[in-house]
Amino acid sequence: QICLSLVKLLFYLAHSPLGSIVLLDFQPRQFVMVDGNLKVTDMDDASTEELSCKEDNDCTLDFPTKSFPLKCSVVGKCEGINEKRNLFNAYRYFFTYLLPHSAPPALRPLLSDILNATGDLRYGINETMRAFEKVLHLYKSGLYLQKRPLVLKDYISLKGFRTVEGEDYKCWPSYSHLGCLLSIHSPEEAAAICNSQLQCQSFIVTQHRTWTGRPLASFQSSWTDLIPDANTVVYIKRSASSGERL
């Protein structure tokens, strides 16, 4: 969410009515999240000036660990230098730390491609925006789940019940520090996640949703403490319930 919001902001800056705007003091502390959107808190160091040049050798974009040769345009300006400076700063301050860690495994190669392409400045902001929108579409639609074995049949569903809330085993990247609370596309995906965790014996699809509209599922190591709840369904592994009375 943070990276996508940042890309939308940089897309606007690259195509603003004033021209391409560069953030000269590009630091994480210069941004805040407001209602799920990233905002710049200080525009004092923003500029629409692009570096003047006479030849391509005048257009090297330097960073502490990398340098990029750019082209000198016919009007004597380094082509796209503001956009590229913003994008590489987004890569080194945000993408590097946030993109690789919390996506479903099937989407990680796509995010890795974005990371590598922006880190080498092979993507401009337009290509980066399209790549993020593709990943978001796959994430929200559940298309990344295609051709996976169906495992929900291995679970018993009990409508109108949920397990007692409390501290349970933890997982990454959980929305709760007390247990294992993950976003899912469907109960089928939740069942696959539960199967991949040794401690998991049951899960509940909650009424809470993330910024993409995906429901949150709570994964738990037991199922014996059930209480009535008309709005929920608890899914229990058949292997865990064998020999027990439901």
Side-chain angles (χ1 to χ4, degrees):
Q1 181 182 13
I2 293 171
C3 291
L4 176 63
S5 188
L6 177 58
V7 168
K8 289 179 179 179
L9 173 61
L10 297 188
F11 182 87
Y12 173 79
L13 294 179
H15 302 285
S16 84
L18 300 176
S20 182
I21 299 174
V22 63
L23 302 176
L24 297 174
D25 186 19
F26 197 115
Q27 299 283 341
R29 65 173 179 268
Q30 300 283 26
F31 300 89
V32 294
M33 291 292 285
V34 180
D35 297 328
N37 295 306
L38 207 66
K39 305 286 187 181
V40 183
T41 61
D42 185 359
M43 293 293 289
D44 289 347
D45 294 307
S47 173
T48 58
E49 292 294 321
E50 294 200 303
L51 187 65
S52 298
C53 57
K54 293 182 179 179
E55 56 184 25
D56 290 350
N57 288 339
D58 298 328
C59 292
T60 300
L61 183 56
D62 289 318
F63 292 95
T65 58
K66 277 191 176 182
S67 295
F68 300 95
L70 304 181
K71 296 290 185 180
C72 183
S73 72
V74 294
V75 296
K77 297 290 183 180
C78 296
E79 287 185 358
I81 191 168
N82 287 352
E83 172 187 328
K84 293 180 184 297
R85 185 184 297 277
N86 284 341
L87 191 54
F88 189 78
N89 277 327
Y91 158 80
R92 67 182 181 136
Y93 286 120
F94 288 88
F95 298 171
T96 299
Y97 299 103
L98 300 177
L99 282 186
H101 303 298
S102 59
L107 293 179
R108 289 175 193 167
L110 297 178
L111 294 177
S112 180
D113 288 345
I114 294 174
L115 194 65
N116 293 332
T118 53
D120 294 334
L121 286 185
R122 287 184 285 109
Y123 280 1
I125 191 61
N126 293 352
E127 295 87 353
T128 304
M129 175 73 88
R130 285 196 292 269
F132 267 97
E133 288 177 339
K134 176 183 178 180
V135 174
L136 180 64
H137 172 68
L138 294 173
Y139 185 60
K140 293 175 69 173
S141 65
L143 290 174
Y144 67 93
L145 296 169
Q146 288 182 345
K147 298 180 181 178
R148 295 179 62 172
L150 301 179
V151 295
L152 191 60
K153 64 182 185 301
D154 298 328
Y155 288 75
I156 296 170
S157 63
L158 293 178
K159 295 181 179 180
F161 289 93
R162 63 177 173 84
T163 52
V164 177
E165 294 182 6
E167 189 168 345
D168 207 320
Y169 77 91
K170 299 172 177 60
C171 66
W172 174 261
S174 177
Y175 283 79
S176 170
H177 68 280
L178 296 177
C180 185
L181 186 66
L182 303 174
S183 81
I184 59 166
H185 177 259
S186 65
E188 183 65 51
E189 183 182 16
I193 292 172
C194 189
N195 278 4
S196 70
Q197 299 173 345
L198 292 177
Q199 305 98 317
C200 186
Q201 298 297 317
S202 66
F203 65 87
I204 299 167
V205 180
T206 75
Q207 300 298 305
H208 301 290
R209 294 183 177 269
T210 69
W211 64 282
T212 59
R214 287 163 55 100
L216 293 175
S218 176
F219 299 87
Q220 297 172 334
S221 59
S222 66
W223 59 270
T224 52
D225 296 327
L226 298 179
I227 57 175
D229 188 331
N231 297 316
T232 60
V233 180
V234 59
Y235 295 85
I236 304 167
K237 280 184 178 178
R238 291 184 183 275
S239 58
S241 64
S242 61
E244 301 284 348
R245 294 184 61 189
L246 293 180

